[in-house]
Amino acid sequence: MVPDFTNNFQRKLENLAKQKKFAAGYSAVDEKAASALLSSDWLEKYPTAVCIDLPKAANLYLSLNSSEEEKINTAFTMARVNYMGTDGVRGKVSIKTNENFIADLLNNNAFTPDLAETASFAFAKILLDKKIVNVGDTAVIGNDGRDLAYNWILNNSVRSGFAKAGLNVLDLGVVPTAVIPWKNLQLGHRAGACLTASHNPSNQNGIKFFIDGKKLVPEGDLGDYVLSAYMYNYCFAEKLPEEASGKISQYNAEEDSIKWMEEVLGGEMKSAVKDLTIIFDSANGATDAIGRKVLENLGANFISVNTQCTGGNINRGVGVAEIEGTELYSGKEYGKHIPTVKKIFDEGRKSPEGSVYGIALDGDGDRGFLLYYSRKDDDVYILDGDKCGYILAQYLIKSKNLDPKKYWFLSTIESDIMTASAAGKNLGLNTRIVSVGDKWIGSFKTNGQDGEVLVGLEISGHLIFPIDVHDPNGKKQTLLSGVGLLTGLASIYAIKSLGLNEEKIIEPFEPGFSKTYYVFFVDKTRYYRGSVIWNKDKELVEMAVNDAIANSKFPKSTKIKYEDKEDLNILYMTILDGEQLLGVLFMRNSGTEDKNAVYVKGEKKYENVLCEIGAKVQTLHAAEMKNENRIEYKYERAVIKNLDGSGGKTTVDKILSQLSGVNESDLSGVIYGLKKEGRVSVLDREITRIKFF
């Protein structure tokens, strides 16, 4: 795995490997650049375990125009290996390891039992090495239910990884993700993990790790880079023990979870829902049984659109994954909508104005949307994380008589850019925009400034507000973790308590616009800071902005400002006219799915021109980033060929009959990607072409 330039380098790398510091090579490396990098003492001085992608470091080193020290530092820093994404590690489920679990993950986006076991073992070993836990301590785990489709093989692998490291395992079974950090704090167990791929299609899975109730962030002694280095170590250098010394026990946390959510909501929640009809969509996931019971105990009149969770149907045609990116559903297009939305129309059309809501979750239950039926418009409006969070902040300030100057309103770069502006201007809150993912909200530091978090949110449906938890010694802890069901119900309570009219429910603040352009099944190694495609993006956007200025679509003084975010591999561009913010464009590899995304946000006045630019970048990425070696690429081409040969319409069954050996779950994931790219529409099992790149 490591280029052998000289015996001295080889010995140096062998010594570094004992400290869990690695220089990994996956392709040909420029010898001169590699020699310059390995001759330095950067790896020896690096304070934690780390794995370096040496070919990437060498390419970066050659592309930089700076001092030798800066070139080496930048090349090594940007080439650190991180197998974690926005929220843990995820991939397409594969029961059999082909080459090794890391090669399978990188080459085929495969999530294997070996990966699940080794990642859990590596995480436990970090905590043991840092004396955060001791052998015989307990790790709390759970899952979102999708592994039922694979006879729990991955969940057993997570158990095994912790147990082989010498930790006891308390398996809570199928629970929303937030239940695990809650139980960590409540029971005083410091390590936690949830087997889930959240909103991803049912043929994918992953793991989210927790320390003291918080998710990992990339940097630091307990960060993603360290965990990735440990995983590399236990793939190529050291082997896992054959036998497990930790004990495994099971505890059904369903009843505890129901009671906890009811306590968080408070006794007055019953009065808020007594005259409502709620359409409940659990996405066939972790909150299904728990959510039904909570609603039942509240005395709510509710209808569930989910019937039986099989693991294989999680997120399929239901939940946040199907709804996100939509602002409203028109009654005029009733026949095109998913079952959740149809049911809201069915109930809303026969009920009093303002009395029908929908609550839609994702597979692991940490995201939630509130849907509102307007009888006047005959439309269903989506209240995403931004809108629910803003309404909840309003309610908390008013009901608790808070001084907003002492509190923080956190949003992420995925949020509408007007959300933070409105919270600061209208509510008087301190605001901060952080990187994508609720982990940045949970780990937020004020850096010496006064105040505590009031709410944290992003448009995706993550909504976090502090929840008090008492540990076994009675000490108060704070949980910062999203619970989609609480998002929906708390937002309903806030709406009712504030007495918001329909206009303020639908549009709680003056919004901008937000549009995301996806490209699925990409080779994510092609996109990073300073890569060829990264630089092409900069050139394309700069040219497009100049053309827009020349055609009077932007003011003459419009400029592009580049900004660095916590994730340095996000290309973030602010479009400004002097000090006035017109919009933003940013590009990033998804940390949760096998895709790249172009985000476009801004003032509605400039929506058309900004979206034109975003669509151009999407077309570039589709041409340059698709991974032709992936089986999903073959399926995608088959779908397109089928549509071309049948007048732009085909069916899932027809494609399945023509693709030997493909299962419907895998094909469903490909169709989902095409739909999110905006290339096809899907109604029941019929697929219709919209556009092709």
Side-chain angles (χ1 to χ4, degrees), residues 78 106 183 197 209 288 303 356 409 491 502 552 566 597 667:
M78 298 307 301
L106 296 177
K183 278 295 183 184
F209 291 108
D288 191 67
I303 300 168
V356 176
F409 182 96
S491 297
E502 183 171 283
S552 301
E566 288 91 343
L667 181 60

Side-chain angles (χ1 to χ4, degrees), residues 145-277:
R146 73 181 68 210
D147 197 37
L148 169 63
Y150 298 92
N151 201 28
W152 307 113
I153 187 171
L154 293 168
N155 195 64
N156 289 333
S157 297
V158 174
R159 288 176 166 189
S160 175
F162 281 110
K164 284 185 176 181
L167 297 186
N168 295 329
V169 178
L170 178 62
D171 189 345
L172 304 181
V174 177
V175 290
T177 289
V179 170
I180 292 158
W182 168 57
K183 278 295 183 184
N184 278 146
L185 298 177
Q186 186 196 51
L187 299 175
H189 301 315
R190 303 190 70 181
C194 186
L195 179 71
T196 176
S198 192
H199 63 282
N200 290 31
S202 61
N203 67 338
Q204 300 180 31
N205 217 324
I207 312 177
K208 300 177 180 181
F209 291 108
F210 297 90
I211 301 172
D212 295 331
K214 292 185 177 181
K215 293 177 179 176
L216 310 190
V217 294
E219 305 288 351
D221 290 348
L222 307 173
D224 292 339
Y225 291 116
V226 173
L227 178 54
S228 298
Y230 269 66
M231 288 169 64
Y232 184 90
N233 175 65
Y234 292 112
C235 183
F236 296 111
E238 300 181 59
K239 299 302 178 186
L240 271 61
E242 291 293 328
E243 301 295 327
S245 59
K247 298 177 181 178
I248 297 169
S249 60
Q250 296 181 197
Y251 178 76
N252 188 332
E254 187 175 298
E255 211 171 293
D256 288 3
S257 302
I258 293 164
K259 184 179 178 182
W260 170 58
M261 291 186 192
E262 290 172 354
E263 288 174 350
V264 172
L265 290 167
E268 296 180 1
M269 189 70 224
K270 289 185 177 181
S271 63
V273 300
K274 67 178 181 180
D275 57 347
L276 303 180
T277 298

Side-chain angles (χ1 to χ4, degrees), residues 337-577:
H337 303 322
I338 63 174
T340 303
V341 176
K342 286 181 177 178
K343 183 59 70 174
I344 295 172
F345 276 110
D346 293 345
E347 294 302 313
R349 287 170 173 172
K350 64 185 183 184
S351 302
E353 178 69 42
S355 65
V356 176
Y357 287 86
I359 296 176
L361 313 180
D362 66 343
D364 73 326
D366 67 348
R367 293 167 60 184
F369 285 166
L370 185 63
L371 289 78
Y372 172 81
Y373 175 73
S374 167
R375 191 164 188 177
K376 174 172 65 72
D377 301 334
D378 193 34
D379 290 331
V380 171
Y381 290 89
I382 313 304
L383 277 67
D384 55 33
D386 287 355
K387 293 176 180 176
C388 288
Y390 185 89
I391 290 171
L392 186 61
Q394 274 184 290
Y395 164 73
L396 290 172
I397 291 170
K398 183 176 180 180
S399 65
K400 297 186 177 184
N401 195 27
L402 303 178
D403 179 357
K405 295 178 181 178
K406 296 181 179 179
Y407 291 89
W408 286 88
F409 182 96
L410 306 179
S411 55
T412 80
I413 59 175
E414 281 198 342
S415 291
D416 183 333
I417 63 170
M418 303 306 293
T419 309
S421 175
K425 181 180 177 181
N426 302 339
L427 305 181
L429 291 162
N430 300 301
T431 64
R432 184 72 58 83
I433 300 174
V434 299
S435 279
V436 177
D438 61 341
K439 67 185 179 187
W440 296 109
I441 295 169
S443 62
F444 173 72
K445 293 181 176 60
T446 59
N447 295 325
Q449 295 176 271
D450 292 335
E452 57 187 89
V453 175
L454 182 66
V455 294
L457 52 89
E458 65 182 0
I459 200 168
S460 65
H462 283 126
L463 174 58
I464 293 173
F465 52 91
I467 298 173
D468 292 340
V469 183
H470 289 87
D471 69 14
N473 298 316
K475 183 180 178 181
K476 188 174 78 171
Q477 307 276 1
T478 301
L479 176 68
L480 290 171
S481 190
V483 188
L485 182 60
L486 295 185
T487 292
L489 289 171
S491 297
I492 289 174
Y493 187 83
I495 287 168
K496 301 273 279 188
S497 298
L498 291 168
L500 298 183
N501 60 29
E502 183 171 283
E503 182 182 351
K504 286 298 182 182
I505 295 172
I506 294 168
E507 194 172 286
F509 58 88
E510 186 177 349
F513 79 91
S514 184
K515 173 75 175 175
T516 307
Y517 296 90
Y518 296 112
V519 179
F520 277 74
F521 310 118
V522 297
D523 180 353
K524 293 200 281 191
T525 65
R526 299 178 193 176
Y527 200 83
Y528 56 87
R529 191 182 192 88
S531 68
V532 172
I533 303 173
W534 171 290
N535 290 326
K536 285 185 178 181
D537 282 353
K538 291 175 69 174
E539 291 174 7
L540 188 156
V541 173
E542 287 171 3
M543 185 179 298
V545 168
N546 288 333
D547 286 346
I549 293 170
N551 291 307
S552 301
K553 295 181 179 180
F554 281 140
K556 288 185 178 180
S557 54
T558 299
K559 302 290 183 185
I560 299 174
K561 178 183 177 183
Y562 294 94
E563 296 183 22
D564 287 339
K565 297 298 177 184
E566 288 91 343
D567 181 351
L568 294 177
N569 289 311
I570 294 175
L571 177 54
Y572 194 94
M573 294 171 278
T574 305
I575 313 298
L576 297 163
D577 178 21

Side-chain angles (χ1 to χ4, degrees), residues 327 511-515 517 553-554 582-583 600-614:
E327 292 185 7
F513 79 91
S514 184
K515 173 75 175 175
Y517 296 90
K553 295 181 179 180
F554 281 140
L582 308 183
V600 186
K601 302 173 184 291
E603 285 194 26
K604 288 192 173 182
K605 179 179 178 180
Y606 299 104
E607 180 174 359
N608 289 340
V609 61
L610 287 166
C611 285
E612 285 174 7
I613 298 171

